[in-house]
Amino acid sequence: MQERRYKIYIVLMVLISIICIILVSCKEDDLQRHYVTDDNTMTIASAGMSDFTVVYVEKEYESNKDLQVNIGNLLEITKTKTNATLPTEVSEALFYEEEVFQILVGDTGFPESDSVIEDLDFNDYEIKRIGNKIVIAGGCVQATAKAVEAFNNIISLEDGTSYIDYENEMNVHNKGEYAVKSMTINGTDIKNFTIILNANESTIENEFAVMVQQAVAQACGKLLKISDKQPANGKAVYIGYSSERAEQLTLTEYEIAAENGNLYISAGSAAAYDAAYQALTEIFIDKESVDISDGFNRREDLSFEFKV
């Protein structure tokens, strides 16, 4: 009787061993099948493993709550679906390495990010595989946040419970909506212009320059550079420079003038700059096409009463 029990025990142990071998073999086959890197497909994570790091820009991350939430969701989705924990790094702390597998979020300064962002307007975003990188970027930080949200939706829909594959067909280019389809100064596309400040301009002019930059970007999608250096192409929106036709402005005056293919905006005070901003944005309202041609001049005296 005892010998029979011993034989049954041996048989059971052999069966258990065979089952374990089969299960391990299946698991190894599963990992091999779902960890792929070729010209069309990359496995982001599979069954608790990943070679990818999520890289973001610290300044962008700190400035935008939506971006923080969406990056957190990306990490959570990956963990839930694959049991893999993706490490994160800020781009400012990294040296560029082409071979490293990375998900690049925002304007990281890496070549792959630059190649995508240079073709984006303000509210556009793109998700694109380039080599061993997946670039997720927008023309502004809020657009980048939307891009990460779109990426999360893509990987959430992926078939399978233990892996996430990214295929080239998942690349996305989303065009933002802009009220103004064409904006030019004396026939030259606004994208060719730089906003120019004197190096010693006051805080008022600096704040106004940013307001103009954002207004143009929201209206037509073109984010103009702000600089105190003259542009090589000679195309500029001058803030605080008096146009050649303008006399010295009083505290209650502003002027917007187009001359010699450039735009000049100047004002005598913060309140006058506010009025100039309102006048400038009125030019964009309800117009699909805007051209500010040489000879355009809007000068207004607001006749404010100042109390001493």
Side-chain angles (χ1 to χ4, degrees), residues 63-78:
S63 70
N64 191 283
K65 293 295 183 183
D66 289 340
L67 184 59
Q68 294 172 26
V69 169
N70 292 339
I71 289 177
N73 289 341
L74 190 166
L75 302 178
E76 183 178 349
I77 291 167
T78 305

Side-chain angles (χ1 to χ4, degrees), residues 34 36 38-44 127-129 134 151 154-155 158-159 163-172:
H34 294 307
V36 181
D38 58 34
D39 290 341
N40 182 68
T41 305
M42 287 196 302
T43 299
I44 296 174
I127 303 167
K128 184 177 183 180
R129 176 191 173 179
I134 298 174
F151 180 77
I154 291 171
I155 63 175
E158 262 291 88
D159 291 335
Y163 69 93
I164 296 175
D165 282 349
Y166 187 88
E167 299 177 353
N168 292 344
E169 64 186 25
M170 297 175 180
N171 291 345
V172 174

Side-chain angles (χ1 to χ4, degrees), residues 15-227:
L15 288 173
I16 291 172
S17 298
I18 293 172
I19 291 171
C20 288
I21 292 171
I22 292 172
L23 289 175
V24 170
S25 177
C26 288
K27 191 65 175 176
E28 289 177 349
D29 288 345
D30 184 63
L31 289 176
Q32 184 177 6
R33 183 167 63 252
H34 294 307
Y35 211 84
V36 181
T37 300
D38 58 34
D39 290 341
N40 182 68
T41 305
M42 287 196 302
T43 299
I44 296 174
S46 175
M49 300 191 307
S50 178
D51 289 334
F52 276 84
T53 299
V54 177
V55 179
Y56 60 84
V57 183
E58 186 173 23
K59 183 178 180 181
E60 294 180 355
Y61 182 85
E62 295 295 335
S63 70
N64 191 283
K65 293 295 183 183
D66 289 340
L67 184 59
Q68 294 172 26
V69 169
N70 292 339
I71 289 177
N73 289 341
L74 190 166
L75 302 178
E76 183 178 349
I77 291 167
T78 305
K79 179 68 174 178
T80 300
K81 287 179 68 67
T82 73
N83 200 34
T85 300
L86 297 183
T88 61
E89 294 280 0
V90 294
S91 60
E92 296 89 339
L94 297 177
F95 292 103
Y96 173 70
E97 296 178 87
E98 183 178 0
E99 299 80 11
V100 175
F101 290 90
Q102 294 168 325
I103 297 174
L104 304 179
V105 179
D107 191 2
T108 64
F110 291 173
E112 293 85 357
S113 298
D114 292 344
S115 68
V116 168
I117 292 172
E118 67 182 3
D119 294 325
L120 296 179
D121 288 336
F122 193 65
N123 293 324
D124 300 356
Y125 68 75
E126 187 162 359
I127 303 167
K128 184 177 183 180
R129 176 191 173 179
I130 303 177
N132 291 341
K133 320 291 186 189
I134 298 174
V135 180
I136 307 174
C140 65
V141 179
Q142 188 58 40
T144 295
K146 291 180 179 179
V148 178
E149 182 180 13
F151 180 77
N152 291 345
N153 291 335
I154 291 171
I155 63 175
S156 295
L157 295 173
E158 262 291 88
D159 291 335
T161 58
S162 64
Y163 69 93
I164 296 175
D165 282 349
Y166 187 88
E167 299 177 353
N168 292 344
E169 64 186 25
M170 297 175 180
N171 291 345
V172 174
H173 184 102
N174 185 79
K175 184 69 176 174
E177 295 184 1
Y178 307 100
V180 180
K181 307 305 180 186
S182 171
M183 184 181 297
T184 57
I185 297 176
N186 206 43
T188 300
D189 195 308
I190 192 71
K191 70 181 182 181
N192 296 308
F193 284 77
T194 303
I195 298 174
I196 299 296
L197 289 160
N198 279 325
N200 60 349
E201 290 289 8
S202 70
T203 302
I204 296 172
E205 276 82 10
N206 278 274
E207 291 178 350
F208 181 75
V210 173
M211 291 170 63
V212 171
Q213 179 194 52
Q214 295 298 307
V216 171
Q218 291 291 352
C220 68
K222 309 303 180 185
L223 187 67
L224 306 186
K225 180 182 177 182
I226 298 175
S227 177

